[in-house]
Every structure is written in structure tokens, then in C-alpha cells.
């Protein structure tokens, strides 16, 4: 790589790993590195060393697990808030990166970064809106509406928490009480990888019982239905480890069609195969988050002096 040409950095900061990448001015990835998430000092330090090997760095984007303060004007901007992840509550992620690397740092949620990545460089090409739902250990949604990322209010909730919406829970069909420590049987409590592990006694990647995947498709289809009615996005990308099971998305599409029940409301694309283009897997695969973080960097502005 030509050392004189600036690169843009991105971090997908997850609870188990940080994926770091640098890209050229056009957003093409040049190098990536995966760092295990340990203590904040060790993890941030390892990320700094990665970017120090890829100078000159123009800006850095971070898509992080949360809850996180994403209000640029807030005194705690870039702080991870009350996370159960040991050692990370109240951790300032932005300041040490900015201080060590001397570049603008733009931070958003992991799901917003993934939504941005898919919108700019994956499944969203040419669209004005897109929602990205991750169904993994937890459940979250990021969204682009009217050509911009959706954020929360300036006070109160810091960012949307779609994973904690309520969906119908039939205790006869599904006696599991739900795994959310706050709400029990919210969407995440019923449909996350963690809920599947606790309900069925094994992790989703080792679960082949068709009953389990039918139930999972029911909950994910209800979530997609709610997203459709709330945001009317042009496309919904469903990523995350649980969504990799080959039976899930086809069953979600089929169930969604019947849940929509012919209501002539917020349109989902019509015609043969249209549902296959409406609810889709990430085109960027596992890279949606880090590609989106790089996109955050490419639109980062220098901090006011
Ligand atoms: Zn919940």
C-alpha cells in the first residue's frame, strides 16, 4: 500500500471480538484483524496498534455493542453504558482511540453500522431505506430511512431498541418464559440465540429440530412484520449467527406473507420471487458491521477545535 495515501479505519466492536479494518478512499477493504474482546484497556490497545501499522489514517468509524451514548454533543459520547459485559460498563471508547490515533472518530451502534454497510455497499444499492436486523446472541435493528441512519431522541432512550419489542407469545405452543433479564418474553427473550439455547438445551448452530426452527421463524416473521408496518423499508436484511440456519429465512418469508394477510398497506414488493428480494441475508456476509464502520469513518468530520 502507498504509505502517502490516507486510509479509513473501521471497528466492529462486539462483546466477544473486535473486527478492525482499513479501507481505501473508495471504501475497499485493504486489511482486517480480529481481536478478542477482553478488558477495555487491552482490547482498545490492540486496536490502536493495528491502526498504527496502517498510517496515514484519515478517520476512524466504530460500530459498537451497547447500550452506548451516540449523541455527539453529550459529555459521555462514545461511552458504553450499563452493559452486563464485565468491565465494560461506563467505558469511554471514543476518547482513547481519538487520543492515541489523533483522528476524528465517529461512533454508532453495531446494528446501525451494519445497516449503513449493507445500504452503501451491499443489499441497499440504489435504495432510500433499509432495515438490518441481527438475530444472534441478542437481537437488534439498525435502519436507514430517507437516506440517513435512524437515531433515538436527544434525551431519554439513546437509540432504538427494537430487540425488546413485544411479540405475541402463545404459552401453550411455547411454554418457555423468555430469557430477557428485563422483560422475560420480549422479542429478544423469545427469539435470540441465547433464548434458543435455554429453551432447547443446545445452541442454535447445533439445533436441527424442525419444531424449533418453525417457532423461531414465527417470531422472526412477527418482528419483520412489525418492522414493515413501522418503517416501510424497501428491504430488510436479516443477519447474525441464528439467521445463518438455511431453514430460517425461507420459513420467515412464507410466514410473513400469511401474516400480512393481504392488507393493502405498507407495500412489500409484489410478484413472483419478490419476497426473496425483500427479506434477505446480508450481501456482505459477516463483514456488514466493519464495512459500515469504515463508511462511518468516510463521513466523519474533524472534531471542532
Ligand atoms: Zn427485553
Amino acid at each position: 500500500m502507498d504509505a502517502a495515501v490516507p486510509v479509513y479505519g473501521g471497528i466492529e466492536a462486539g462483546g466477544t471480538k473486535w473486527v478492525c479494518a482499513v479501507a481505501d478512499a473508495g471504501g475497499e477493504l485493504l486489511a482486517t484483524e480480529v481481536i478478542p474482546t477482553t478488558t477495555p484497556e487491552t482490547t482498545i490497545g490492540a486496536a490502536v496498534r493495528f491502526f498504527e501499522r496502517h498510517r496515514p489514517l484519515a478517520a476512524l468509524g466504530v460500530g459498537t455493542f451497547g447500550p452506548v451514548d451516540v449523541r455527539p454533543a453529550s459529555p459521555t459520547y462514545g461511552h458504553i453504558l450499563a452493559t452486563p459485559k464485565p468491565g465494560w460498563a461506563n467505558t469511554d471508547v471514543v476518547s482513547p482511540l481519538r487520543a492515541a490515533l489523533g483522528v476524528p472518530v465517529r461512533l454508532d451502534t453495531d446494528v446501525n453500522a451494519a445497516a449503513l454497510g449493507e445500504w452503501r455497499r451491499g443489499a441497499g444499492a440504489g435504495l432510500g431505506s433499509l432495515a438490518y436486523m441481527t438475530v444472534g446472541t441478542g437481537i437488534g435493528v439498525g435502519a436507514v430511512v430517507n437516506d440517513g441512519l435512524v437515531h433515538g431522541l436527544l434525551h431519554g432512550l439513546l437509540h432504538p431498541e427494537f430487540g425488546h419489542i413485544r411479540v405475541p407469545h402463545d404459552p401453550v405452543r411455547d411454554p418457555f418464559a423468555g430469557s430477557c433479564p428485563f422483560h422475560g418474553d420480549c422479542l429478544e427473550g423469545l427469539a435470540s440465540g441465547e433464548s434458543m439455547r435455554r429453551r432447547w438445551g443446545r445452541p442454535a448452530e447445533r439445533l436441527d429440530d424442525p419444531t424449533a426452527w418453525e417457532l423461531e421463524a414465527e417470531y422472526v416473521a412477527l418482528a419483520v412484520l412489525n418492522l414493515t408496518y413501522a418503517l416501510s423499508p424497501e428491504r430488510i436484511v436479516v443477519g447474525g449467527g441464528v439467521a445463518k440456519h438455511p431453514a430460517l429465512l425461507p420459513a420467515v418469508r412464507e410466514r410473513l406473507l400469511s401474516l400480512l394477510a393481504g392488507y393493502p398497506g405498507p407495500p412489500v414488493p409484489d410478484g413472483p420471487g419478490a419476497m426473496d428480494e425483500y427479506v434477505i441475508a446480508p450481501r456482505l456476509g459477516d463483514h456488514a458491521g466493519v464495512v459500515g464502520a469504515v463508511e462511518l469513518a468516510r463521513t466523519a468530520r474533524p472534531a471542532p477545535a
Side-chain angles (χ1 to χ4, degrees):
M1 155 185 358
D2 182 343
V5 178
V7 296
Y8 291 82
I11 303 175
E12 182 190 8
T16 56
K17 64 179 192 288
W18 279 29
V19 183
C20 301
V22 288
D24 64 20
E28 292 297 324
L29 295 190
L30 302 168
T32 61
E33 185 171 305
V34 176
I35 296 164
T37 309
T38 55
T39 65
E41 295 72 21
T42 305
T43 312
I44 293 170
V48 166
R49 284 193 295 283
F50 169 78
F51 292 110
E52 281 174 340
R53 291 197 297 275
H54 297 281
R55 299 277 193 183
L57 189 67
L60 178 66
V62 182
T64 179
F65 72 94
V68 58
D69 188 339
V70 295
R71 302 164 297 174
S74 163
T76 53
Y77 174 61
H79 285 58
I80 308 281
L81 302 174
T83 175
K85 175 92 185 148
W88 284 83
N90 305 311
T91 294
D92 182 352
V93 172
V94 165
S95 302
L97 289 167
R98 191 163 48 205
L101 296 168
V103 297
V105 178
R106 186 175 169 206
L107 172 138
D108 212 317
T109 60
D110 45 8
V111 281
N112 259 0
L116 183 65
E118 283 290 333
W119 180 51
R120 289 256 180 82
R121 308 192 66 84
L127 305 182
S129 64
L130 171 141
Y132 180 97
M133 176 160 64
T134 180
V135 186
T137 310
I139 294 183
V141 169
V144 171
V145 173
N146 296 339
D147 299 317
L149 287 168
V150 174
H151 292 105
L153 303 172
L154 287 178
H155 44 78
L157 271 183
L158 301 175
H159 45 77
E161 288 280 9
F162 190 86
H164 297 275
I165 65 163
R166 310 306 298 230
V167 290
H169 177 205
D170 175 357
V172 176
R173 180 179 181 188
D174 177 21
F176 179 62
S179 64
C180 177
F182 298 95
H183 313 114
D185 60 351
C186 64
L187 173 63
E188 181 169 290
L190 291 172
S192 63
E194 175 60 12
S195 78
M196 295 179 84
R197 188 183 66 75
R198 283 165 59 176
R199 182 192 287 107
W200 304 105
R202 57 173 63 198
E205 64 267 23
R206 291 198 287 113
L207 193 57
D208 275 319
D209 179 356
T211 312
W213 288 101
E214 258 170 51
L215 184 66
E216 182 67 8
E218 174 75 17
Y219 291 134
V220 175
L222 284 162
V224 169
L225 178 78
N226 289 339
L227 263 181
T228 298
Y229 285 146
L231 294 180
S232 193
E234 289 171 76
R235 182 164 284 163
I236 297 177
V237 182
V238 184
V242 171
K244 287 181 179 172
H245 192 282
L248 186 65
L249 285 191
V252 167
R253 293 183 192 112
E254 192 180 327
R255 185 70 184 114
L256 176 63
L257 262 181
S258 72
L259 287 167
L260 286 162
Y263 180 74
V268 298
D270 218 3
M275 195 55 82
D276 296 346
E277 290 296 307
Y278 181 60
V279 180
I280 68 165
R283 295 261 161 87
L284 298 172
D286 290 336
H287 280 111
V290 77
V291 167
V294 167
E295 293 300 308
L296 287 171
R298 293 177 67 223
T299 50
R301 293 203 176 84

Coordinates of all heavy atoms in Angstrom, one line a residue, residues 245-295:
H245 N -28.9 -20.3 9.7 CA -29.5 -21.6 9.5 C -30.4 -21.6 8.2 O -31.2 -20.7 8.0 CB -30.4 -22.0 10.7 CG -30.8 -23.5 10.6 ND1 -31.8 -23.9 9.8 CD2 -30.4 -24.5 11.3 CE1 -31.9 -25.2 10.0 NE2 -31.1 -25.6 10.9
P246 N -30.1 -22.6 7.3 CA -30.7 -22.5 6.0 C -32.2 -22.5 6.0 O -32.9 -22.1 5.0 CB -30.1 -23.7 5.2 CG -29.5 -24.6 6.2 CD -29.1 -23.7 7.4
A247 N -32.8 -23.1 7.0 CA -34.3 -23.2 7.0 C -35.0 -21.9 7.4 O -36.2 -21.7 7.2 CB -34.7 -24.3 8.0
L248 N -34.2 -21.0 8.0 CA -34.9 -19.9 8.7 C -35.5 -18.9 7.7 O -36.7 -18.6 7.8 CB -34.0 -19.1 9.7 CG -34.7 -18.1 10.5 CD1 -35.8 -18.7 11.4 CD2 -33.7 -17.2 11.3
L249 N -34.7 -18.3 6.8 CA -35.3 -17.2 6.0 C -36.4 -17.6 5.1 O -37.4 -16.9 5.0 CB -34.2 -16.4 5.3 CG -33.3 -15.5 6.1 CD1 -32.4 -14.6 5.3 CD2 -34.1 -14.7 7.0
P250 N -36.3 -18.8 4.4 CA -37.4 -19.2 3.6 C -38.7 -19.3 4.4 O -39.8 -18.9 4.0 CB -37.0 -20.6 3.1 CG -35.5 -20.5 3.1 CD -35.1 -19.7 4.3
A251 N -38.6 -19.9 5.7 CA -39.8 -20.0 6.5 C -40.3 -18.6 7.0 O -41.5 -18.4 7.1 CB -39.5 -20.9 7.7
V252 N -39.4 -17.7 7.2 CA -39.8 -16.4 7.6 C -40.6 -15.7 6.5 O -41.7 -15.1 6.7 CB -38.6 -15.5 8.0 CG1 -39.0 -14.0 8.1 CG2 -38.0 -16.0 9.3
R253 N -40.1 -15.8 5.2 CA -40.8 -15.2 4.1 C -42.2 -15.7 3.9 O -43.2 -15.0 3.7 CB -40.0 -15.4 2.8 CG -38.7 -14.7 2.8 CD -38.0 -15.0 1.4 NE -36.6 -14.5 1.5 CZ -35.5 -15.4 1.4 NH1 -35.7 -16.7 1.3 NH2 -34.3 -14.9 1.5
E254 N -42.3 -17.1 4.0 CA -43.6 -17.7 3.9 C -44.6 -17.3 5.0 O -45.7 -16.9 4.7 CB -43.4 -19.2 3.9 CG -44.6 -20.0 3.5 CD -44.3 -21.5 3.5 OE1 -43.2 -21.9 3.3 OE2 -45.3 -22.2 3.8
R255 N -44.1 -17.3 6.2 CA -45.0 -16.9 7.3 C -45.3 -15.4 7.2 O -46.5 -15.0 7.5 CB -44.2 -17.2 8.6 CG -45.1 -16.9 9.9 CD -46.2 -18.0 10.0 NE -47.1 -17.6 11.1 CZ -48.3 -17.3 11.0 NH1 -48.9 -17.2 9.9 NH2 -49.0 -17.0 12.1
L256 N -44.4 -14.6 6.8 CA -44.6 -13.1 6.7 C -45.8 -12.9 5.7 O -46.7 -12.1 5.9 CB -43.4 -12.4 6.2 CG -43.5 -10.9 5.9 CD1 -43.9 -10.2 7.2 CD2 -42.2 -10.3 5.3
L257 N -45.8 -13.6 4.6 CA -46.8 -13.4 3.6 C -48.2 -13.7 4.2 O -49.1 -12.9 4.0 CB -46.6 -14.4 2.4 CG -45.9 -13.8 1.2 CD1 -45.8 -14.9 0.1 CD2 -46.7 -12.6 0.6
S258 N -48.3 -14.7 5.0 CA -49.6 -15.0 5.6 C -49.9 -14.0 6.7 O -51.1 -13.6 6.9 CB -49.7 -16.5 6.0 OG -49.0 -16.7 7.2
L259 N -48.9 -13.5 7.4 CA -49.2 -12.5 8.5 C -49.6 -11.2 7.9 O -50.4 -10.5 8.5 CB -47.9 -12.3 9.3 CG -47.6 -13.4 10.3 CD1 -46.2 -13.2 10.9 CD2 -48.6 -13.5 11.5
L260 N -49.1 -10.9 6.7 CA -49.5 -9.6 6.0 C -51.0 -9.7 5.6 O -51.7 -8.7 5.5 CB -48.7 -9.4 4.8 CG -47.2 -8.9 5.1 CD1 -46.3 -9.1 3.9 CD2 -47.2 -7.5 5.5
A261 N -51.5 -10.9 5.4 CA -52.9 -11.2 5.2 C -53.5 -10.4 4.1 O -54.7 -10.0 4.2 CB -53.6 -11.0 6.5
G262 N -52.7 -10.0 3.1 CA -53.3 -9.3 2.0 C -53.7 -7.8 2.3 O -54.3 -7.1 1.4
Y263 N -53.3 -7.3 3.5 CA -53.6 -5.9 3.8 C -52.9 -5.0 2.8 O -51.7 -5.1 2.6 CB -53.1 -5.6 5.2 CG -53.3 -4.2 5.7 CD1 -54.6 -3.8 6.1 CD2 -52.3 -3.3 5.8 CE1 -54.8 -2.5 6.5 CE2 -52.5 -2.0 6.3 CZ -53.8 -1.6 6.6 OH -54.0 -0.4 7.1
P264 N -53.7 -4.1 2.2 CA -53.1 -3.3 1.1 C -52.3 -2.1 1.7 O -52.4 -1.0 1.3 CB -54.4 -2.8 0.4 CG -55.4 -2.7 1.5 CD -55.1 -3.8 2.5
G265 N -51.5 -2.4 2.7 CA -50.9 -1.3 3.4 C -49.4 -1.2 3.0 O -49.1 -1.5 1.9
P266 N -48.6 -0.9 3.9 CA -47.2 -0.6 3.5 C -46.7 -1.7 2.6 O -46.7 -2.8 2.9 CB -46.4 -0.6 4.9 CG -47.5 -0.4 5.9 CD -48.7 -1.0 5.4
P267 N -46.3 -1.3 1.4 CA -46.1 -2.3 0.4 C -44.9 -3.1 0.6 O -43.8 -2.6 1.0 CB -45.9 -1.4 -0.8 CG -45.5 -0.1 -0.3 CD -46.0 0.1 1.0
V268 N -45.0 -4.4 0.5 CA -43.8 -5.2 0.3 C -43.9 -5.5 -1.2 O -45.0 -5.5 -1.8 CB -43.8 -6.5 1.1 CG1 -43.8 -6.1 2.6 CG2 -45.0 -7.3 0.8
P269 N -42.7 -5.7 -1.8 CA -42.7 -5.9 -3.3 C -43.6 -7.1 -3.7 O -43.7 -8.0 -3.0 CB -41.2 -6.2 -3.6 CG -40.5 -5.9 -2.4 CD -41.4 -5.8 -1.2
D270 N -44.3 -6.9 -4.8 CA -45.3 -7.8 -5.3 C -44.7 -8.7 -6.4 O -43.7 -8.3 -7.0 CB -46.5 -7.0 -5.8 CG -47.8 -7.7 -5.4 OD1 -47.7 -8.7 -4.8 OD2 -48.8 -7.2 -5.8
G271 N -45.3 -9.8 -6.7 CA -44.9 -10.6 -7.8 C -44.0 -11.7 -7.5 O -43.5 -11.9 -6.3
P272 N -43.8 -12.6 -8.5 CA -43.0 -13.9 -8.2 C -41.6 -13.6 -7.7 O -40.9 -12.8 -8.3 CB -43.0 -14.6 -9.6 CG -43.9 -13.8 -10.4 CD -44.2 -12.5 -9.8
G273 N -41.2 -14.2 -6.6 CA -39.9 -14.1 -6.1 C -39.6 -12.7 -5.4 O -38.5 -12.5 -4.9
A274 N -40.6 -11.9 -5.3 CA -40.4 -10.5 -4.7 C -40.0 -10.6 -3.3 O -39.2 -9.9 -2.7 CB -41.6 -9.7 -4.9
M275 N -40.7 -11.6 -2.6 CA -40.4 -11.7 -1.1 C -38.9 -12.2 -0.9 O -38.3 -11.8 0.1 CB -41.4 -12.8 -0.5 CG -41.4 -12.8 1.0 SD -41.8 -11.2 1.7 CE -43.6 -11.1 1.6
D276 N -38.4 -12.9 -1.9 CA -37.0 -13.3 -1.8 C -36.0 -12.1 -1.8 O -34.9 -12.2 -1.4 CB -36.6 -14.3 -2.9 CG -37.4 -15.6 -2.8 OD1 -38.0 -15.8 -1.8 OD2 -37.4 -16.3 -3.8
E277 N -36.5 -11.0 -2.4 CA -35.7 -9.8 -2.5 C -36.0 -8.8 -1.4 O -35.3 -7.8 -1.3 CB -36.0 -9.1 -3.9 CG -35.4 -9.9 -5.1 CD -33.9 -9.9 -5.0 OE1 -33.2 -8.9 -4.8 OE2 -33.3 -11.1 -5.1
Y278 N -37.1 -9.1 -0.7 CA -37.5 -8.2 0.4 C -36.8 -8.6 1.7 O -36.3 -7.7 2.4 CB -39.0 -8.2 0.6 CG -39.5 -7.3 1.6 CD1 -39.3 -5.9 1.6 CD2 -40.2 -7.7 2.7 CE1 -39.7 -5.0 2.6 CE2 -40.7 -6.9 3.7 CZ -40.4 -5.5 3.6 OH -40.9 -4.7 4.6
V279 N -36.9 -9.8 2.1 CA -36.2 -10.3 3.3 C -35.0 -11.1 2.9 O -35.1 -12.2 2.3 CB -37.2 -11.2 4.1 CG1 -36.5 -11.7 5.4 CG2 -38.4 -10.4 4.5
I280 N -33.8 -10.6 3.1 CA -32.6 -11.3 2.5 C -31.5 -11.4 3.6 O -31.5 -10.7 4.6 CB -32.1 -10.5 1.3 CG1 -31.5 -9.2 1.7 CG2 -33.2 -10.3 0.2 CD1 -30.7 -8.6 0.6
A281 N -30.6 -12.3 3.3 CA -29.4 -12.4 4.1 C -28.4 -11.2 3.7 O -28.5 -10.7 2.6 CB -28.7 -13.7 3.8
P282 N -27.5 -10.9 4.6 CA -26.6 -9.8 4.3 C -25.7 -10.1 3.0 O -25.2 -11.2 2.9 CB -25.6 -9.7 5.5 CG -26.4 -10.5 6.6 CD -27.2 -11.5 5.9
R283 N -25.7 -9.2 2.1 CA -24.8 -9.4 0.9 C -23.4 -9.4 1.3 O -22.5 -9.9 0.6 CB -25.1 -8.3 -0.1 CG -26.5 -8.4 -0.7 CD -26.6 -9.0 -2.1 NE -27.9 -9.5 -2.4 CZ -28.8 -8.7 -3.0 NH1 -28.5 -7.5 -3.4 NH2 -30.0 -9.2 -3.3
L284 N -23.1 -8.6 2.4 CA -21.7 -8.5 2.8 C -21.3 -9.6 3.8 O -20.2 -9.6 4.4 CB -21.4 -7.1 3.5 CG -21.7 -5.9 2.6 CD1 -21.6 -4.6 3.4 CD2 -20.6 -5.9 1.5
G285 N -22.2 -10.6 4.0 CA -21.9 -11.7 5.0 C -21.6 -11.1 6.3 O -22.2 -10.2 6.9
D286 N -20.5 -11.7 6.9 CA -20.1 -11.3 8.3 C -19.4 -9.9 8.3 O -19.0 -9.5 9.3 CB -19.1 -12.3 8.9 CG -19.9 -13.6 9.2 OD1 -21.1 -13.6 9.3 OD2 -19.3 -14.7 9.2
H287 N -19.2 -9.3 7.1 CA -18.4 -8.1 7.1 C -19.3 -6.8 7.1 O -18.8 -5.7 7.1 CB -17.5 -8.0 5.8 CG -16.3 -8.8 6.0 ND1 -16.0 -9.9 5.3 CD2 -15.2 -8.6 6.8 CE1 -14.8 -10.4 5.6 NE2 -14.3 -9.6 6.5
A288 N -20.6 -7.0 7.2 CA -21.5 -5.8 7.1 C -21.1 -4.8 8.2 O -21.1 -3.6 7.9 CB -23.0 -6.2 7.3
G289 N -20.9 -5.2 9.4 CA -20.6 -4.3 10.5 C -19.3 -3.5 10.3 O -19.3 -2.3 10.5
V290 N -18.2 -4.2 9.9 CA -17.0 -3.5 9.8 C -16.9 -2.6 8.5 O -16.4 -1.5 8.5 CB -15.8 -4.5 9.9 CG1 -15.5 -5.2 8.6 CG2 -14.5 -3.7 10.3
V291 N -17.6 -3.1 7.5 CA -17.7 -2.2 6.3 C -18.5 -1.0 6.6 O -18.1 0.1 6.2 CB -18.3 -3.0 5.1 CG1 -18.7 -2.1 4.0 CG2 -17.4 -4.1 4.6
G292 N -19.5 -1.1 7.4 CA -20.3 0.0 7.8 C -19.5 1.0 8.7 O -19.7 2.2 8.6
A293 N -18.7 0.4 9.6 CA -17.8 1.2 10.4 C -16.9 2.1 9.6 O -16.6 3.2 9.8 CB -17.0 0.4 11.4
V294 N -16.3 1.5 8.5 CA -15.5 2.2 7.6 C -16.3 3.3 6.9 O -15.8 4.5 6.8 CB -14.9 1.3 6.5 CG1 -14.2 2.1 5.4 CG2 -13.8 0.4 7.2
E295 N -17.5 3.0 6.6 CA -18.4 4.1 6.0 C -18.6 5.2 7.0 O -18.7 6.4 6.6 CB -19.7 3.5 5.5 CG -19.6 2.5 4.4 CD -19.0 3.1 3.1 OE1 -19.4 4.2 2.7 OE2 -18.0 2.6 2.6

